[in-house]
Short mmCIF file of all heavy atoms in Angstrom, two decimals:
data_model
loop_
_atom_site.label_atom_id
_atom_site.label_comp_id
_atom_site.label_asym_id
_atom_site.label_seq_id
_atom_site.Cartn_x
_atom_site.Cartn_y
_atom_site.Cartn_z
N MET K 1 96.98 99.08 56.78
CA MET K 1 96.98 100.07 57.82
C MET K 1 96.73 101.42 57.18
O MET K 1 97.24 101.72 56.13
CB MET K 1 98.33 100.04 58.54
CG MET K 1 98.45 101.09 59.59
SD MET K 1 100.07 101.19 60.40
CE MET K 1 100.69 99.55 60.38
N SER K 2 95.92 102.22 57.80
CA SER K 2 95.72 103.57 57.31
C SER K 2 95.90 104.54 58.46
O SER K 2 95.76 104.18 59.62
CB SER K 2 94.33 103.73 56.71
OG SER K 2 93.34 103.62 57.70
N ILE K 3 96.24 105.75 58.10
CA ILE K 3 96.43 106.79 59.10
C ILE K 3 95.53 107.95 58.75
O ILE K 3 95.53 108.42 57.62
CB ILE K 3 97.89 107.25 59.16
CG1 ILE K 3 98.77 106.08 59.56
CG2 ILE K 3 98.06 108.42 60.12
CD1 ILE K 3 100.21 106.40 59.59
N GLU K 4 94.73 108.36 59.69
CA GLU K 4 93.83 109.48 59.46
C GLU K 4 94.14 110.59 60.44
O GLU K 4 94.56 110.36 61.55
CB GLU K 4 92.38 109.02 59.67
CG GLU K 4 91.98 107.92 58.72
CD GLU K 4 90.60 107.38 59.02
OE1 GLU K 4 89.86 108.03 59.78
OE2 GLU K 4 90.30 106.31 58.51
N ARG K 5 93.85 111.76 60.01
CA ARG K 5 94.04 112.90 60.88
C ARG K 5 92.96 112.89 61.95
O ARG K 5 91.80 112.61 61.68
CB ARG K 5 93.94 114.17 60.04
CG ARG K 5 94.06 115.42 60.87
CD ARG K 5 94.07 116.62 60.00
NE ARG K 5 92.87 116.65 59.15
CZ ARG K 5 92.37 117.75 58.62
NH1 ARG K 5 92.97 118.88 58.81
NH2 ARG K 5 91.31 117.71 57.88
N SER K 6 93.35 113.17 63.15
CA SER K 6 92.39 113.32 64.23
C SER K 6 91.54 114.56 63.98
O SER K 6 92.03 115.56 63.48
CB SER K 6 93.12 113.43 65.56
OG SER K 6 92.23 113.80 66.57
N GLU K 7 90.29 114.52 64.32
CA GLU K 7 89.40 115.66 64.10
C GLU K 7 89.85 116.87 64.90
O GLU K 7 89.54 117.98 64.56
CB GLU K 7 87.96 115.32 64.49
CG GLU K 7 87.35 114.19 63.71
CD GLU K 7 87.66 112.84 64.33
OE1 GLU K 7 87.89 112.76 65.56
OE2 GLU K 7 87.72 111.86 63.57
N ARG K 8 90.58 116.66 65.99
CA ARG K 8 90.93 117.76 66.86
C ARG K 8 92.36 118.23 66.71
O ARG K 8 92.91 118.86 67.57
CB ARG K 8 90.64 117.37 68.31
CG ARG K 8 91.43 116.18 68.78
CD ARG K 8 90.96 115.71 70.14
NE ARG K 8 91.50 114.41 70.43
CZ ARG K 8 92.50 114.20 71.26
NH1 ARG K 8 93.05 115.18 71.88
NH2 ARG K 8 92.94 112.98 71.46
N SER K 9 93.01 117.92 65.62
CA SER K 9 94.41 118.28 65.52
C SER K 9 94.75 118.85 64.15
O SER K 9 93.96 118.80 63.22
CB SER K 9 95.27 117.06 65.77
OG SER K 9 95.12 116.16 64.69
N GLU K 10 95.96 119.36 64.06
CA GLU K 10 96.51 119.79 62.80
C GLU K 10 96.93 118.56 62.01
O GLU K 10 96.99 117.46 62.53
CB GLU K 10 97.72 120.69 63.04
CG GLU K 10 97.39 121.95 63.82
CD GLU K 10 96.42 122.85 63.06
OE1 GLU K 10 96.61 123.00 61.84
OE2 GLU K 10 95.50 123.36 63.68
N ARG K 11 97.26 118.76 60.78
CA ARG K 11 97.65 117.65 59.92
C ARG K 11 98.95 117.01 60.44
O ARG K 11 99.92 117.71 60.69
CB ARG K 11 97.87 118.17 58.51
CG ARG K 11 98.28 117.10 57.54
CD ARG K 11 98.61 117.66 56.21
NE ARG K 11 97.48 118.39 55.66
CZ ARG K 11 97.47 118.93 54.47
NH1 ARG K 11 98.51 118.85 53.70
NH2 ARG K 11 96.40 119.56 54.04
N PRO K 12 98.98 115.67 60.61
CA PRO K 12 100.21 115.02 61.07
C PRO K 12 101.23 114.98 59.94
O PRO K 12 100.87 115.04 58.76
CB PRO K 12 99.75 113.62 61.45
CG PRO K 12 98.54 113.38 60.63
CD PRO K 12 97.88 114.72 60.44
N THR K 13 102.49 114.87 60.29
CA THR K 13 103.54 114.65 59.30
C THR K 13 104.09 113.25 59.50
O THR K 13 104.09 112.71 60.61
CB THR K 13 104.67 115.67 59.42
OG1 THR K 13 105.23 115.58 60.72
CG2 THR K 13 104.15 117.08 59.20
N ILE K 14 104.55 112.65 58.41
CA ILE K 14 104.99 111.26 58.42
C ILE K 14 106.39 111.16 57.84
O ILE K 14 106.67 111.76 56.80
CB ILE K 14 104.01 110.37 57.61
CG1 ILE K 14 102.64 110.38 58.30
CG2 ILE K 14 104.55 108.96 57.46
CD1 ILE K 14 101.55 109.69 57.51
N VAL K 15 107.25 110.41 58.53
CA VAL K 15 108.60 110.16 58.05
C VAL K 15 108.83 108.65 58.08
O VAL K 15 108.59 108.00 59.10
CB VAL K 15 109.65 110.85 58.95
CG1 VAL K 15 111.07 110.49 58.51
CG2 VAL K 15 109.45 112.36 58.93
N LEU K 16 109.27 108.09 56.95
CA LEU K 16 109.60 106.66 56.90
C LEU K 16 111.07 106.51 57.24
O LEU K 16 111.93 107.07 56.57
CB LEU K 16 109.32 106.09 55.50
CG LEU K 16 107.88 106.18 55.02
CD1 LEU K 16 107.76 105.58 53.63
CD2 LEU K 16 106.94 105.48 55.99
N CYS K 17 111.37 105.74 58.28
CA CYS K 17 112.76 105.51 58.69
C CYS K 17 113.28 104.28 57.93
O CYS K 17 112.70 103.20 58.06
CB CYS K 17 112.83 105.25 60.18
SG CYS K 17 112.26 106.62 61.18
N PRO K 18 114.35 104.41 57.17
CA PRO K 18 114.88 103.26 56.45
C PRO K 18 115.20 102.11 57.41
O PRO K 18 115.89 102.29 58.41
CB PRO K 18 116.16 103.81 55.81
CG PRO K 18 115.93 105.29 55.71
CD PRO K 18 115.11 105.64 56.93
N GLY K 19 114.63 100.94 57.14
CA GLY K 19 114.86 99.77 57.97
C GLY K 19 114.11 99.77 59.28
O GLY K 19 114.29 98.89 60.11
N GLY K 20 113.25 100.77 59.49
CA GLY K 20 112.56 100.90 60.76
C GLY K 20 111.15 101.40 60.63
O GLY K 20 110.49 101.20 59.61
N PRO K 21 110.67 102.06 61.67
CA PRO K 21 109.25 102.43 61.73
C PRO K 21 108.89 103.65 60.89
O PRO K 21 109.74 104.30 60.29
CB PRO K 21 109.07 102.75 63.22
CG PRO K 21 110.39 103.30 63.63
CD PRO K 21 111.41 102.50 62.87
N MET K 22 107.61 103.93 60.88
CA MET K 22 107.07 105.16 60.33
C MET K 22 106.84 106.10 61.52
O MET K 22 106.17 105.73 62.48
CB MET K 22 105.72 104.85 59.66
CG MET K 22 104.95 106.06 59.20
SD MET K 22 103.26 105.65 58.68
CE MET K 22 103.47 104.21 57.69
N LEU K 23 107.42 107.27 61.46
CA LEU K 23 107.24 108.24 62.54
C LEU K 23 106.10 109.18 62.17
O LEU K 23 106.10 109.77 61.08
CB LEU K 23 108.51 109.04 62.77
CG LEU K 23 109.74 108.23 63.18
CD1 LEU K 23 110.92 109.16 63.39
CD2 LEU K 23 109.47 107.39 64.41
N VAL K 24 105.14 109.31 63.06
CA VAL K 24 104.01 110.21 62.86
C VAL K 24 104.12 111.32 63.89
O VAL K 24 104.11 111.06 65.10
CB VAL K 24 102.67 109.48 63.01
CG1 VAL K 24 101.51 110.45 62.86
CG2 VAL K 24 102.56 108.35 62.01
N ARG K 25 104.26 112.54 63.40
CA ARG K 25 104.36 113.70 64.29
C ARG K 25 103.00 114.39 64.28
O ARG K 25 102.51 114.79 63.23
CB ARG K 25 105.44 114.65 63.80
CG ARG K 25 105.73 115.80 64.75
CD ARG K 25 106.82 116.70 64.20
NE ARG K 25 108.00 115.98 63.75
CZ ARG K 25 109.01 115.61 64.54
NH1 ARG K 25 108.99 115.92 65.81
NH2 ARG K 25 110.03 114.94 64.05
N GLY K 26 102.40 114.49 65.47
CA GLY K 26 101.09 115.12 65.57
C GLY K 26 100.03 114.09 65.92
O GLY K 26 100.30 112.89 65.97
N GLU K 27 98.85 114.57 66.17
CA GLU K 27 97.76 113.67 66.55
C GLU K 27 97.19 112.98 65.32
O GLU K 27 96.95 113.63 64.30
CB GLU K 27 96.66 114.45 67.27
CG GLU K 27 97.11 114.98 68.60
CD GLU K 27 95.99 115.68 69.34
OE1 GLU K 27 94.81 115.52 68.95
OE2 GLU K 27 96.29 116.38 70.30
N ALA K 28 96.99 111.67 65.44
CA ALA K 28 96.46 110.89 64.32
C ALA K 28 95.77 109.65 64.87
O ALA K 28 95.96 109.28 66.04
CB ALA K 28 97.59 110.48 63.38
N VAL K 29 94.97 109.05 64.02
CA VAL K 29 94.33 107.78 64.35
C VAL K 29 94.87 106.74 63.36
O VAL K 29 94.79 106.95 62.15
CB VAL K 29 92.80 107.87 64.25
CG1 VAL K 29 92.18 106.51 64.52
CG2 VAL K 29 92.27 108.91 65.23
N VAL K 30 95.44 105.66 63.89
CA VAL K 30 95.99 104.58 63.07
C VAL K 30 94.97 103.45 63.05
O VAL K 30 94.53 102.99 64.10
CB VAL K 30 97.32 104.07 63.65
CG1 VAL K 30 97.87 102.93 62.81
CG2 VAL K 30 98.32 105.21 63.77
N GLN K 31 94.58 103.03 61.85
CA GLN K 31 93.65 101.91 61.73
C GLN K 31 94.40 100.71 61.19
O GLN K 31 95.03 100.79 60.13
CB GLN K 31 92.49 102.25 60.81
CG GLN K 31 91.49 101.11 60.71
CD GLN K 31 90.26 101.49 59.91
OE1 GLN K 31 90.25 102.50 59.22
NE2 GLN K 31 89.24 100.69 60.00
N THR K 32 94.34 99.59 61.92
CA THR K 32 95.01 98.37 61.48
C THR K 32 94.08 97.54 60.60
O THR K 32 92.89 97.84 60.47
CB THR K 32 95.47 97.55 62.70
OG1 THR K 32 94.38 97.39 63.60
CG2 THR K 32 96.60 98.25 63.42
N GLN K 33 94.63 96.49 59.98
CA GLN K 33 93.87 95.70 59.02
C GLN K 33 92.63 95.06 59.62
O GLN K 33 91.67 94.78 58.92
CB GLN K 33 94.77 94.61 58.42
CG GLN K 33 95.85 95.19 57.52
CD GLN K 33 96.76 94.14 56.97
OE1 GLN K 33 97.00 93.12 57.60
NE2 GLN K 33 97.28 94.39 55.78
N ASP K 34 92.63 94.82 60.93
CA ASP K 34 91.46 94.23 61.57
C ASP K 34 90.38 95.26 61.89
O ASP K 34 89.35 94.92 62.47
CB ASP K 34 91.86 93.46 62.84
CG ASP K 34 92.49 94.36 63.90
OD1 ASP K 34 92.59 95.59 63.67
OD2 ASP K 34 92.87 93.83 64.96
N GLY K 35 90.63 96.50 61.53
CA GLY K 35 89.65 97.56 61.76
C GLY K 35 89.80 98.29 63.07
O GLY K 35 89.11 99.28 63.31
N ALA K 36 90.68 97.81 63.92
CA ALA K 36 90.89 98.47 65.22
C ALA K 36 91.56 99.82 64.99
O ALA K 36 92.38 99.97 64.09
CB ALA K 36 91.77 97.60 66.11
N THR K 37 91.19 100.80 65.81
CA THR K 37 91.78 102.12 65.69
C THR K 37 92.59 102.44 66.94
O THR K 37 92.24 102.01 68.05
CB THR K 37 90.71 103.21 65.48
OG1 THR K 37 89.78 103.15 66.56
CG2 THR K 37 89.98 103.00 64.16
N HIS K 38 93.67 103.17 66.73
CA HIS K 38 94.61 103.51 67.81
C HIS K 38 94.96 104.97 67.65
O HIS K 38 95.50 105.36 66.61
CB HIS K 38 95.87 102.66 67.71
CG HIS K 38 95.60 101.20 67.61
ND1 HIS K 38 95.56 100.39 68.72
CD2 HIS K 38 95.33 100.41 66.55
CE1 HIS K 38 95.30 99.15 68.34
NE2 HIS K 38 95.15 99.14 67.02
N ARG K 39 94.67 105.75 68.66
CA ARG K 39 94.97 107.18 68.61
C ARG K 39 96.38 107.43 69.16
O ARG K 39 96.76 106.85 70.17
CB ARG K 39 93.95 107.95 69.45
CG ARG K 39 94.08 109.46 69.37
CD ARG K 39 92.99 110.14 70.14
NE ARG K 39 91.66 109.83 69.65
CZ ARG K 39 91.07 110.44 68.64
NH1 ARG K 39 91.69 111.41 68.01
NH2 ARG K 39 89.86 110.09 68.27
N THR K 40 97.13 108.26 68.49
CA THR K 40 98.46 108.60 68.98
C THR K 40 98.32 109.39 70.28
O THR K 40 97.36 110.14 70.45
CB THR K 40 99.27 109.42 67.97
OG1 THR K 40 98.55 110.62 67.67
CG2 THR K 40 99.52 108.63 66.68
N THR K 41 99.27 109.19 71.18
CA THR K 41 99.22 109.87 72.48
C THR K 41 100.49 110.65 72.78
O THR K 41 100.59 111.27 73.82
CB THR K 41 98.99 108.86 73.62
OG1 THR K 41 100.07 107.92 73.61
CG2 THR K 41 97.66 108.16 73.46
N ARG K 42 101.46 110.59 71.85
CA ARG K 42 102.74 111.27 72.06
C ARG K 42 102.94 112.29 70.95
O ARG K 42 102.34 112.17 69.87
CB ARG K 42 103.88 110.25 72.01
CG ARG K 42 103.77 109.18 73.06
CD ARG K 42 104.87 108.16 72.87
NE ARG K 42 104.84 107.16 73.93
CZ ARG K 42 105.67 106.15 73.99
NH1 ARG K 42 106.60 106.01 73.08
NH2 ARG K 42 105.58 105.30 74.99
N PRO K 43 103.84 113.25 71.17
CA PRO K 43 104.14 114.20 70.09
C PRO K 43 104.64 113.51 68.82
O PRO K 43 104.31 113.91 67.71
CB PRO K 43 105.21 115.11 70.70
CG PRO K 43 105.00 115.01 72.18
CD PRO K 43 104.52 113.61 72.43
N VAL K 44 105.46 112.45 68.99
CA VAL K 44 105.94 111.64 67.87
C VAL K 44 105.68 110.18 68.20
O VAL K 44 106.09 109.71 69.27
CB VAL K 44 107.44 111.86 67.60
CG1 VAL K 44 107.91 110.98 66.44
CG2 VAL K 44 107.72 113.33 67.31
N SER K 45 105.01 109.47 67.31
CA SER K 45 104.70 108.06 67.52
C SER K 45 105.38 107.23 66.44
O SER K 45 105.37 107.61 65.27
CB SER K 45 103.19 107.82 67.45
OG SER K 45 102.52 108.55 68.45
N ALA K 46 105.96 106.09 66.83
CA ALA K 46 106.63 105.20 65.89
C ALA K 46 105.70 104.02 65.60
O ALA K 46 105.30 103.29 66.50
CB ALA K 46 107.95 104.71 66.46
N ILE K 47 105.37 103.86 64.33
CA ILE K 47 104.46 102.79 63.91
C ILE K 47 105.28 101.71 63.22
O ILE K 47 106.06 102.00 62.31
CB ILE K 47 103.38 103.35 62.98
CG1 ILE K 47 102.58 104.42 63.75
CG2 ILE K 47 102.48 102.25 62.47
CD1 ILE K 47 101.64 105.20 62.89
N CYS K 48 105.07 100.47 63.66
CA CYS K 48 105.84 99.34 63.13
C CYS K 48 105.57 99.14 61.64
O CYS K 48 104.42 99.16 61.20
CB CYS K 48 105.47 98.07 63.89
SG CYS K 48 106.30 96.58 63.28
N ARG K 49 106.64 98.93 60.88
CA ARG K 49 106.52 98.58 59.46
C ARG K 49 107.09 97.20 59.18
O ARG K 49 106.98 96.70 58.06
CB ARG K 49 107.26 99.60 58.59
CG ARG K 49 106.66 100.96 58.60
CD ARG K 49 107.18 101.82 57.46
NE ARG K 49 108.61 101.93 57.43
CZ ARG K 49 109.34 101.88 56.31
NH1 ARG K 49 108.76 101.73 55.15
NH2 ARG K 49 110.65 101.98 56.36
N CYS K 50 107.73 96.55 60.20
CA CYS K 50 108.36 95.26 59.93
C CYS K 50 107.44 94.09 60.27
O CYS K 50 107.69 92.97 59.84
CB CYS K 50 109.66 95.14 60.72
SG CYS K 50 109.44 94.89 62.50
N GLY K 51 106.42 94.33 61.08
CA GLY K 51 105.48 93.27 61.46
C GLY K 51 105.95 92.42 62.62
O GLY K 51 105.27 91.47 63.00
N ALA K 52 107.10 92.72 63.22
CA ALA K 52 107.64 91.88 64.28
C ALA K 52 107.38 92.43 65.68
O ALA K 52 107.72 91.78 66.67
CB ALA K 52 109.14 91.69 64.08
N THR K 53 106.79 93.58 65.80
CA THR K 53 106.56 94.18 67.11
C THR K 53 105.61 93.35 67.97
O THR K 53 104.72 92.66 67.45
CB THR K 53 106.00 95.61 66.97
OG1 THR K 53 105.87 96.19 68.27
CG2 THR K 53 104.64 95.60 66.27
N SER K 54 105.75 93.46 69.26
CA SER K 54 104.80 92.81 70.17
C SER K 54 103.80 93.84 70.71
O SER K 54 102.99 93.50 71.56
CB SER K 54 105.55 92.15 71.33
OG SER K 54 106.26 93.11 72.08
N ARG K 55 103.88 95.09 70.20
CA ARG K 55 102.98 96.15 70.66
C ARG K 55 102.25 96.78 69.49
O ARG K 55 102.09 98.00 69.43
CB ARG K 55 103.77 97.24 71.38
CG ARG K 55 104.44 96.80 72.65
CD ARG K 55 105.18 97.95 73.33
NE ARG K 55 104.32 99.10 73.49
CZ ARG K 55 104.59 100.32 73.00
NH1 ARG K 55 105.69 100.54 72.32
NH2 ARG K 55 103.76 101.31 73.19
N ALA K 56 101.83 95.99 68.52
CA ALA K 56 101.20 96.52 67.31
C ALA K 56 100.07 97.49 67.65
O ALA K 56 99.32 97.23 68.59
CB ALA K 56 100.67 95.37 66.45
N PRO K 57 99.95 98.58 66.94
CA PRO K 57 100.72 98.94 65.75
C PRO K 57 102.00 99.69 66.04
O PRO K 57 102.67 100.14 65.12
CB PRO K 57 99.74 99.83 64.99
CG PRO K 57 99.02 100.57 66.07
CD PRO K 57 98.86 99.55 67.18
N TRP K 58 102.38 99.82 67.29
CA TRP K 58 103.53 100.65 67.64
C TRP K 58 104.84 99.87 67.54
O TRP K 58 104.89 98.67 67.85
CB TRP K 58 103.37 101.20 69.06
CG TRP K 58 102.02 101.73 69.33
CD1 TRP K 58 101.12 101.27 70.25
CD2 TRP K 58 101.36 102.81 68.66
NE1 TRP K 58 99.97 102.00 70.18
CE2 TRP K 58 100.08 102.95 69.22
CE3 TRP K 58 101.72 103.66 67.64
CZ2 TRP K 58 99.17 103.90 68.79
CZ3 TRP K 58 100.81 104.62 67.20
CH2 TRP K 58 99.55 104.73 67.78
N CYS K 59 105.88 100.53 67.15
CA CYS K 59 107.23 99.94 67.07
C CYS K 59 107.75 99.72 68.49
O CYS K 59 107.65 100.61 69.34
CB CYS K 59 108.15 100.90 66.30
SG CYS K 59 109.90 100.45 66.36
N ASP K 60 108.30 98.53 68.73
CA ASP K 60 108.93 98.27 70.04
C ASP K 60 110.43 98.08 69.91
O ASP K 60 111.08 97.64 70.85
CB ASP K 60 108.28 97.07 70.72
CG ASP K 60 108.54 95.77 69.99
OD1 ASP K 60 109.19 95.78 68.92
OD2 ASP K 60 108.08 94.72 70.49
N GLY K 61 110.99 98.37 68.75
CA GLY K 61 112.44 98.27 68.53
C GLY K 61 112.89 96.92 68.00
O GLY K 61 114.07 96.73 67.71
N THR K 62 111.96 95.97 67.87
CA THR K 62 112.34 94.63 67.42
C THR K 62 112.97 94.64 66.03
O THR K 62 113.81 93.78 65.72
CB THR K 62 111.11 93.69 67.44
OG1 THR K 62 110.60 93.65 68.77
CG2 THR K 62 111.45 92.29 66.99
N HIS K 63 112.64 95.60 65.20
CA HIS K 63 113.21 95.65 63.84
C HIS K 63 114.73 95.67 63.87
O HIS K 63 115.37 95.19 62.95
CB HIS K 63 112.67 96.87 63.08
CG HIS K 63 113.06 98.19 63.68
ND1 HIS K 63 112.32 98.82 64.65
CD2 HIS K 63 114.15 98.95 63.46
CE1 HIS K 63 112.94 99.95 64.99
NE2 HIS K 63 114.04 100.05 64.28
N LYS K 64 115.31 96.18 64.95
CA LYS K 64 116.77 96.26 65.05
C LYS K 64 117.40 94.87 65.17
O LYS K 64 118.59 94.69 64.91
CB LYS K 64 117.18 97.09 66.27
CG LYS K 64 116.73 98.53 66.18
CD LYS K 64 117.03 99.26 67.48
CE LYS K 64 116.38 100.62 67.49
NZ LYS K 64 116.48 101.26 68.82
N LEU K 65 116.61 93.88 65.60
CA LEU K 65 117.11 92.53 65.76
C LEU K 65 116.95 91.69 64.51
O LEU K 65 117.48 90.58 64.44
CB LEU K 65 116.38 91.84 66.92
CG LEU K 65 116.42 92.57 68.28
CD1 LEU K 65 115.56 91.83 69.29
CD2 LEU K 65 117.85 92.72 68.75
N LEU K 66 116.24 92.20 63.52
CA LEU K 66 115.97 91.43 62.30
C LEU K 66 117.14 91.54 61.34
O LEU K 66 117.82 92.57 61.29
CB LEU K 66 114.71 91.97 61.62
CG LEU K 66 113.41 91.88 62.41
CD1 LEU K 66 112.28 92.55 61.63
CD2 LEU K 66 113.06 90.45 62.73
N PRO K 67 117.35 90.47 60.54
CA PRO K 67 118.36 90.60 59.49
C PRO K 67 117.93 91.67 58.48
O PRO K 67 116.73 91.94 58.33
CB PRO K 67 118.39 89.20 58.85
CG PRO K 67 117.18 88.50 59.34
CD PRO K 67 116.70 89.18 60.58
N LYS K 68 118.87 92.28 57.81
CA LYS K 68 118.57 93.40 56.91
C LYS K 68 117.50 93.07 55.88
O LYS K 68 116.67 93.90 55.56
CB LYS K 68 119.83 93.86 56.19
CG LYS K 68 120.67 94.78 57.03
CD LYS K 68 121.73 95.45 56.20
CE LYS K 68 122.38 96.50 57.09
NZ LYS K 68 123.28 97.35 56.39
N GLU K 69 117.50 91.84 55.38
CA GLU K 69 116.53 91.48 54.33
C GLU K 69 115.09 91.41 54.85
O GLU K 69 114.16 91.40 54.08
CB GLU K 69 116.92 90.16 53.63
CG GLU K 69 116.98 88.95 54.54
CD GLU K 69 118.34 88.76 55.20
OE1 GLU K 69 119.19 89.67 55.14
OE2 GLU K 69 118.54 87.68 55.79
N ARG K 70 114.91 91.37 56.16
CA ARG K 70 113.55 91.35 56.74
C ARG K 70 113.11 92.72 57.24
O ARG K 70 111.98 92.87 57.69
CB ARG K 70 113.49 90.34 57.90
CG ARG K 70 113.53 88.90 57.40
CD ARG K 70 112.91 87.92 58.35
NE ARG K 70 111.65 88.37 58.92
CZ ARG K 70 111.27 88.07 60.15
NH1 ARG K 70 112.05 87.35 60.93
NH2 ARG K 70 110.10 88.49 60.61
N ARG K 71 113.98 93.70 57.15
CA ARG K 71 113.61 95.06 57.59
C ARG K 71 112.91 95.78 56.46
O ARG K 71 113.19 95.53 55.28
CB ARG K 71 114.86 95.84 57.99
CG ARG K 71 115.55 95.25 59.20
CD ARG K 71 116.74 96.08 59.58
NE ARG K 71 117.56 95.37 60.54
CZ ARG K 71 118.75 95.78 60.94
NH1 ARG K 71 119.25 96.91 60.46
NH2 ARG K 71 119.43 95.08 61.81
N PRO K 72 112.02 96.70 56.80
CA PRO K 72 111.33 97.45 55.74
C PRO K 72 112.29 98.36 54.99
O PRO K 72 113.33 98.75 55.51
CB PRO K 72 110.28 98.26 56.51
CG PRO K 72 110.73 98.27 57.92
CD PRO K 72 111.59 97.08 58.14
N ASP K 73 111.96 98.67 53.74
CA ASP K 73 112.79 99.56 52.92
C ASP K 73 112.79 100.97 53.45
O ASP K 73 111.92 101.41 54.12
CB ASP K 73 112.28 99.58 51.48
CG ASP K 73 112.47 98.22 50.82
OD1 ASP K 73 113.40 97.50 51.21
OD2 ASP K 73 111.67 97.91 49.92
S1 FES C 1 109.48 98.72 62.79
FE1 FES C 1 110.15 98.67 64.82
S2 FES C 1 109.40 96.81 65.58
FE2 FES C 1 108.68 96.87 63.55
#
């Protein structure tokens, strides 16, 4: 997965949440491994890091149901 700055926005900021998603503040384009691109539409977007979401690439909160050893660092 890669994150690129949208051409029409300021530089996004990224925060990694321990055991949870990556928070992207600002406009950005997220590219998944299959090449699909997803533009952020909210001031802060949560991107899944655990792989268990049903709304990829966005976090749907499923990481909270995973055992600690399956959550991202
Ligand atoms: S990090 Fe939240 S569902 Fe994966």
Side-chain angles (χ1 to χ4, degrees):
M1 177 185 328
S2 67
I3 298 178
E4 299 175 14
R5 178 176 55 156
S6 170
E7 299 87 27
R8 61 189 167 104
S9 69
E10 299 297 318
R11 180 185 302 184
T13 59
I14 296 173
V15 175
L16 300 180
C17 299
M22 172 190 315
L23 299 181
V24 177
R25 187 180 311 275
E27 293 184 14
V29 177
V30 178
Q31 182 174 13
T32 51
Q33 291 178 329
D34 62 1
T37 57
H38 309 267
R39 186 176 299 276
T40 59
T41 60
R42 300 176 176 179
V44 179
S45 299
I47 299 171
C48 177
R49 293 195 305 138
C50 73
T53 184
S54 62
R55 296 182 51 237
W58 315 117
C59 170
D60 67 358
T62 301
H63 64 271
K64 296 174 190 171
L65 305 175
L66 299 176
K68 278 193 172 188
E69 61 272 12
R70 288 205 44 214
R71 295 182 193 172
D73 293 332

